[in-house]
Amino acid sequence: MGRVRVGVLISGRGSNLQTLIQAAQAPDYPAEIAYVIANVADAKGLDHAERAGIPACVISHKDFADRAAFDAALDAALRKAKIEIVCLAGFMRLLGKKFTEDWRDRVLNIHPSLLPAFPGLDTHRKAIEAGVKISGCTVHLVRPELDDGPILIQAAVPVAEDDTPETLAARVLEVEHRCYPLALRLLAAGAIRVTGKTTRHGATAPKGSLLNPGGTG
Ligand code: GAR
């Protein structure tokens, strides 16, 4: 069976894109990173795509009159590239209702907090100011509301008393890089069942991974 074609949308550094590219190099990985779109012309993450020989383009939101027109351009580019699943990886634009409904349950996002806590921008500063003792990351299916949608995977990290937004971000990023490839593996393998706000997954998580730490199954 062919691998699922994945498009990754980025706005900046692209470290999550890079972990997806690396994960997809495993022969048994059910998805291939087939296309990358940046909405920012000088997004550093475009270098990862180029190095990996993955087709990429820039579609700047600034070139469109409104969100609907920008979303339509993204949609057209993804369809032309025969993309089946979209991963938002540090993509800092909201997708509108039509796009999220047309691509329902086929768009993943990663957010650097334990949602539903601390959606939106400035996540780590908000977490530190709220005095939480753990934070983490969430991979979820995208719905029209910001950082909302059925959760596939979360991972937690401790918040240290002397953390700054930067030190906490770095700790959370480490678990992001473990969670995102795993979440995409599950979705691409067809293992995710969505019921309302909740998801369930089959026993396809690799042994020793976050979802199967004991290595059983
Ligand atoms: C990541 O920490 C990601 O969770 C966050 O932006 C960073 C992108 O890093 N995304 C959001 O805040 C979306 N709400 P990367 O470009 O190195 O993957």
Side-chain angles (χ1 to χ4, degrees):
M1 209 173 79
R3 299 198 294 162
V4 175
R5 290 175 65 80
V6 173
V8 183
L9 271 51
I10 61 170
S11 298
R13 177 180 56 187
S15 70
N16 278 292
L17 164 65
Q18 176 63 6
T19 63
L20 293 177
I21 291 172
Q22 280 168 353
Q25 282 164 359
D28 68 336
Y29 201 76
E32 67 173 302
I33 309 306
Y35 201 50
V36 174
I37 302 177
N39 71 313
V40 176
D42 60 356
K44 289 292 295 169
L46 288 169
D47 298 346
H48 296 306
E50 191 180 343
R51 269 197 298 275
I54 297 168
C57 74
V58 175
I59 300 179
S60 170
H61 55 283
K62 293 183 185 157
D63 293 339
F64 297 89
D66 54 26
R67 189 191 312 283
F70 174 59
D71 286 2
L74 292 178
D75 179 82
L78 292 165
R79 287 183 196 279
K80 193 168 171 214
K82 300 198 176 348
I83 295 306
E84 297 158 284
I85 289 177
V86 177
C87 288
L88 310 183
F91 183 68
M92 304 312 265
R93 302 298 300 176
L94 259 184
L95 295 166
K97 200 165 189 309
K98 176 164 172 30
F99 186 98
T100 53
E101 279 173 8
D102 288 350
W103 288 83
R104 188 179 176 85
D105 294 343
R106 294 190 295 144
V107 186
L108 286 174
N109 182 44
I110 188 155
H111 184 74
S113 75
L114 294 172
L115 291 173
F118 314 124
L121 298 174
D122 257 347
T123 317
H124 304 295
R125 186 187 53 75
K126 288 178 194 161
I128 289 168
E129 285 178 6
V132 296
K133 299 299 184 196
I134 56 167
S135 190
C137 72
T138 303
V139 183
H140 64 95
L141 291 164
V142 170
R143 296 290 183 261
E145 297 76 29
L146 175 68
D147 296 328
D148 185 52
I151 292 169
L152 270 68
I153 292 185
Q154 294 184 299
V157 301
V159 179
E161 287 180 3
D162 60 353
D163 261 335
T164 63
E166 291 73 29
T167 59
L168 180 55
R171 195 175 310 117
V172 170
L173 197 64
E174 285 179 29
V175 289
E176 291 186 44
H177 292 167
R178 296 178 62 197
C179 286
Y180 215 172
L182 183 50
L184 176 58
R185 173 188 283 276
L186 292 172
L187 188 66
I192 299 295
R193 298 283 168 270
V194 184
T195 312
K197 290 216 75 158
T198 66
T199 69
R200 290 177 193 280
H201 58 83
T204 61
K207 290 179 183 178
S209 72
L210 283 173
L211 289 182
N212 193 1
T216 56

